Amino acid sequence: MAKNTVKEYFLYGGVTKEQYESIGHLIAEENHRIWKLVSVIFEIVFIGLFIFSIIGSEHRNWSIGFGIFAGTMIFSVLAFYVLLKPSSKALLPFIYVTLAVVIATDIYLGIFVEKSRPSVIYPALMVGISFLTLDRPIRFLCMQFISLASFITLTSIFKNNIDGNTIVLVTDILAGTLFTGAGILISLFLSSLRMRDLVVRKNAEIERDQDALTNVANKLAYDRMVDSLSAKWGESNLKFAVVIFDVNGLKTTNDTYGHEQGDKLLVRCCELIQSSFAHTQI
């Protein structure tokens, strides 16, 4: 495998940089769609944990701390559901912070609360959350390696084994490491599949919205743009302009010189418009 292909695989999920940049809006929409559903699930879970911390625990100090944590997450998840949009720059940071909290909680429970719990639950969680987030693989890999380092360090220092056998401790760390490695490979594979799928969807959108002759947006794309602007009409910061051109003499050119020359006239007009208006969508 060529070096540039390996680099693209880790940086862009197996697609080129240009392809990755072209599907940026699709990635944001995919993350927002998935996490909007996840936020509902999280909200239910954290509300349940908050109620449990109030009425279900005999350990007062632990209950207060857990209740504060659950209450904070309730408001954080609710804020995401209400405020964050696919185009928001805070979307990915919120997702990664949430993932970090979930992973840290899982590691903490496995080491300090449920000491006999199999260590493979932690990397299984890592594989599970790889379904939830679509981003550059290198970022998710960094989070996985940091989580693995934290898991190994905390397990080595704090975890008390049931029988006190060091072999059990080594086995626990080895199992977590091996399964985390498998989780990394699985997450890379999933990322590659989803990135390529989005590229296919983007190409399909281009074929659907682009005129085959002039390579500019067609009537379907125009109608969608009008609908989008109409939906955003009430936003105070919305600034846009619409310029409409009419090609004079097209019918005369077709009738006199043939439709081939008329096509050339249309193509040339589109080229002139695009070169004159750098930010024009036509």
Side-chain angles (χ1 to χ4, degrees):
M1 185 179 293
K3 290 184 178 181
N4 61 330
T5 304
V6 173
K7 179 181 178 180
E8 289 171 351
Y9 195 89
F10 282 96
L11 291 180
Y12 309 112
V15 300
T16 65
K17 180 181 179 180
E18 291 73 18
Q19 289 174 325
Y20 180 86
E21 292 175 348
S22 70
I23 60 174
H25 68 289
L26 294 178
I27 293 175
E29 291 172 1
E30 185 86 355
N31 283 329
H32 189 269
R33 179 180 61 83
I34 294 175
W35 277 86
K36 198 168 185 179
L37 174 62
V38 171
S39 67
V40 175
I41 299 174
F42 275 175
E43 195 72 2
I44 295 173
V45 171
F46 284 122
I47 289 175
L49 292 176
F50 183 75
I51 295 174
F52 173 76
S53 69
I54 295 176
I55 64 176
S57 176
E58 298 177 355
H59 304 284
R60 188 61 183 167
N61 292 334
W62 178 89
S63 178
I64 293 175
F66 200 70
I68 294 174
F69 165 74
T72 302
M73 292 304 295
I74 288 173
F75 284 105
S76 298
V77 173
L78 183 62
F80 161 77
Y81 191 85
V82 174
L83 301 177
L84 294 186
K85 305 300 180 184
S87 58
S88 174
K89 294 182 179 179
L91 178 60
L92 272 179
F94 173 87
I95 290 174
Y96 277 106
V97 169
T98 303
L99 292 179
V101 170
V102 171
I103 295 170
T105 302
D106 179 71
I107 295 176
Y108 173 80
L109 291 175
I111 296 175
F112 297 100
V113 180
E114 304 171 16
K115 298 182 179 65
S116 61
R117 189 178 67 171
S119 60
V120 295
I121 292 179
Y122 148 68
L125 174 67
M126 296 295 294
V127 174
I129 63 179
S130 67
F131 284 89
L132 303 179
T133 306
L134 188 60
D135 191 22
R136 295 189 180 188
I138 190 68
R139 294 174 180 168
F140 196 76
L141 287 177
C142 288
M143 186 178 69
Q144 288 175 309
F145 282 120
I146 292 173
S147 301
L148 176 60
S150 302
F151 168 78
I152 294 175
T153 302
L154 294 175
T155 299
S156 302
I157 297 175
F158 296 106
K159 189 167 186 180
N160 296 317
N161 297 279
I162 298 176
D163 56 3
N165 193 333
T166 56
I167 297 178
V168 177
L169 178 62
V170 173
T171 303
D172 204 38
I173 294 176
L174 182 61
T177 302
L178 291 177
F179 278 91
T180 300
I184 290 173
L185 295 177
I186 293 173
S187 64
L188 282 172
F189 178 71
L190 290 174
S191 176
S192 176
L193 287 181
R194 296 174 69 187
M195 289 294 186
R196 293 175 189 275
D197 178 66
L198 290 183
V199 170
V200 171
R201 284 171 52 186
K202 177 63 178 180
N203 292 335
E205 285 184 0
I206 293 175
E207 292 180 1
R208 179 195 64 192
D209 295 342
Q210 192 175 75
D211 178 69
L213 174 64
T214 59
N215 293 326
V216 299
N218 56 23
K219 181 64 165 57
L220 290 174
Y222 171 81
D223 291 339
R224 267 189 293 275
M225 179 63 69
V226 170
D227 292 340
S228 176
L229 291 175
S230 299
K232 299 177 181 178
W233 190 266
E235 297 182 10
S236 58
N237 295 327
L238 179 63
K239 297 180 181 179
F240 68 93
V242 177
V243 181
I244 299 176
F245 296 88
D246 183 27
V247 181
N248 294 326
L250 179 60
K251 185 178 185 305
T252 302
T253 301
N254 287 332
D255 294 340
T256 305
Y257 302 104
H259 286 276
E260 183 178 350
Q261 294 301 317
D263 290 345
K264 291 181 179 180
L265 175 60
L266 283 175
V267 171
R268 182 55 181 162
C269 287
C270 290
E271 290 175 349
L272 290 173
I273 294 171
Q274 288 180 306
S275 64
S276 300
F277 297 88
H279 302 288
T280 302
Q281 295 187 20
I282 62 173

